């Protein structure tokens, strides 16, 4: 049985991090807000004592967005004014899970490259949607929840297609083939890759050395943290408790 399409966006994840385009930031000693993008990252991903994967790869359907693009979407597509979603021929609206824009904006700033591995039978339609959906830069708020003064020239939203820097394998077939291509193009070892997908059958990618994390209800910051923690665990990276002073 095919999965039921969810037309309503999922509620924001229970993680302490929000992917919405407006976020609260801490102030520096001078009263100026810190870089808003950095405050999007969960603390576990900014710990300098622990590494991050060099390449983080995402499936599309029911991972980045809550539908099958080759089953539920009927072209042509038309984006809304904010490019946060697009409607198809029948007026149905399609967009990312709510945490996804913040994740796609922020993860590359932390160091990892990001990519896509999808076996959809409608690769052209998937790419069209990734062109139409934009990733806005976060808007900082001060501690009293008022808009912070702009820090330099405002950053223009990016097309979702652009944040992957060309690392997209979108075509029917085995995910192993997708990863073989990504490895050849990047030179990154499979052991340094983390894969998020909603289908357990794609665990066959782990025969290459990739770590896969199964996403249950769409990608969220909580899923990102869990996947990164699993990757670290398998690679032997464990956070040591802080030393305490002896009496």
């Amino acid at each position: 049985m095919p999965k039921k399409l969810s037309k309503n966006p999922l509620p924001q994840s229970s993680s302490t991090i929000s992917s919405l385009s407006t976020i609260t930031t801490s102030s520096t000693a001078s009263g100026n807000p810190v870089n808003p993008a950095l405050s999007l990252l969960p603390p576990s991903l900014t710990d300098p004592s622990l590494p991050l994967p060099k390449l983080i790869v995402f499936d599309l359907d029911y991972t980045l967005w809550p539908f099958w693009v080759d089953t539920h979407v009927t072209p042509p597509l038309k984006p809304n004014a904010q490019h946060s979603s697009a409607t198809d021929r029948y007026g149905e609206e399609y967009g990312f899970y709510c945490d996804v824009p913040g994740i796609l904006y922020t993860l590359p700033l932390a160091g990892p490259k990001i990519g896509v591995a999808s076996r959809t039978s409608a690769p052209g339609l998937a790419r069209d949607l990734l062109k139409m959906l934009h990733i806005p830069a976060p808007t900082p708020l001060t501690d009293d929840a008022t808009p912070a003064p702009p820090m330099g020239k405002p950053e223009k939203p990016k097309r979702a297609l652009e944040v992957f820097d060309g690392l997209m394998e979108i075509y029917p077939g085995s995910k192993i083939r997708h990863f073989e291509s990504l490895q050849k193009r990047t030179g990154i070892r499979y052991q340094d890759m983390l894969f998020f997908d909603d289908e357990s059958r794609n665990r066959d990618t782990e025969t290459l050395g990739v770590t896969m994390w199964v996403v249950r209800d769409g990608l969220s910051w909580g899923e990102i943290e869990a996947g990164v923690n699993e990757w670290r665990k398998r690679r032997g990276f464990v956070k040591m408790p802080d030393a305490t002073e002896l009496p």
Side-chain angles (χ1 to χ4, degrees):
M1 293 290 292
K3 291 186 178 181
K4 182 179 179 181
L5 172 65
S6 173
K7 293 298 183 184
N8 298 316
L10 293 183
Q12 191 169 321
S13 76
S14 58
S15 169
T16 57
I17 306 301
S18 169
S19 70
L20 300 179
S21 60
T22 301
I23 60 175
T24 301
T25 65
S26 300
S27 297
T28 62
S30 63
N32 294 323
V34 298
N35 188 324
L38 297 179
S39 67
L40 277 171
L41 285 168
S44 65
L45 301 188
T46 58
D47 188 334
S49 69
L50 294 173
L52 292 171
K54 293 182 179 179
L55 176 62
I56 298 178
V57 181
F58 304 104
D59 176 42
L60 290 176
D61 298 341
Y62 289 99
T63 300
L64 293 188
W65 50 45
F67 49 86
W68 282 332
V69 70
D70 58 3
T71 302
H72 297 118
V73 183
T74 304
L77 290 169
K78 182 179 180 180
N80 64 6
Q82 297 77 29
H83 286 266
S84 58
S85 65
T87 54
D88 71 352
R89 175 176 295 177
Y90 298 108
E92 298 290 352
E93 190 172 20
Y94 299 94
F96 290 127
Y97 284 107
C98 64
D99 275 5
V100 167
I103 290 169
L104 297 184
Y105 178 91
T106 310
L107 275 183
L109 300 180
K113 294 179 180 293
I114 60 174
V116 169
S118 171
R119 64 167 85 242
T120 180
S121 60
L125 190 58
R127 287 176 179 271
D128 286 345
L129 190 53
L130 289 172
K131 291 176 184 176
M132 293 180 186
L133 298 178
H134 287 186
I135 307 298
T139 301
L141 299 178
T142 59
D143 291 337
D144 61 359
T146 59
M151 301 173 63
K153 187 176 180 180
E155 183 178 350
K156 292 182 178 180
K158 297 179 180 179
R159 296 187 302 171
L161 193 79
E162 296 171 352
V163 302
F164 299 108
D165 198 24
L167 297 179
M168 296 182 297
E169 299 296 317
I170 307 176
Y171 45 82
S174 169
K175 294 288 177 87
I176 288 181
R177 179 185 170 194
H178 294 158
F179 273 89
E180 288 175 340
S181 178
L182 288 169
Q183 196 284 323
K184 184 178 296 184
R185 293 166 62 190
T186 63
I188 296 173
R189 301 186 313 155
Y190 293 121
Q191 290 79 4
D192 293 324
M193 299 181 186
L194 173 60
F195 180 35
F196 290 90
D197 196 302
D198 69 302
E199 294 187 285
S200 296
R201 63 172 173 158
N202 292 318
R203 284 194 185 277
D204 59 357
T205 55
E206 295 195 330
T207 62
L208 298 172
V210 175
T211 296
M212 177 178 157
W213 183 258
V214 178
V215 175
R216 298 300 181 185
D217 295 301
L219 192 69
S220 66
W221 278 115
E223 296 281 10
I224 291 290
E225 289 185 273
V228 169
N229 287 338
E230 179 65 19
W231 176 84
R232 287 170 172 167
K233 178 181 176 181
R234 295 190 190 185
R235 301 294 168 259
F237 299 112
V238 180
K239 175 69 174 178
M240 300 300 294
D242 294 334
T244 57
E245 293 185 4
L246 295 176

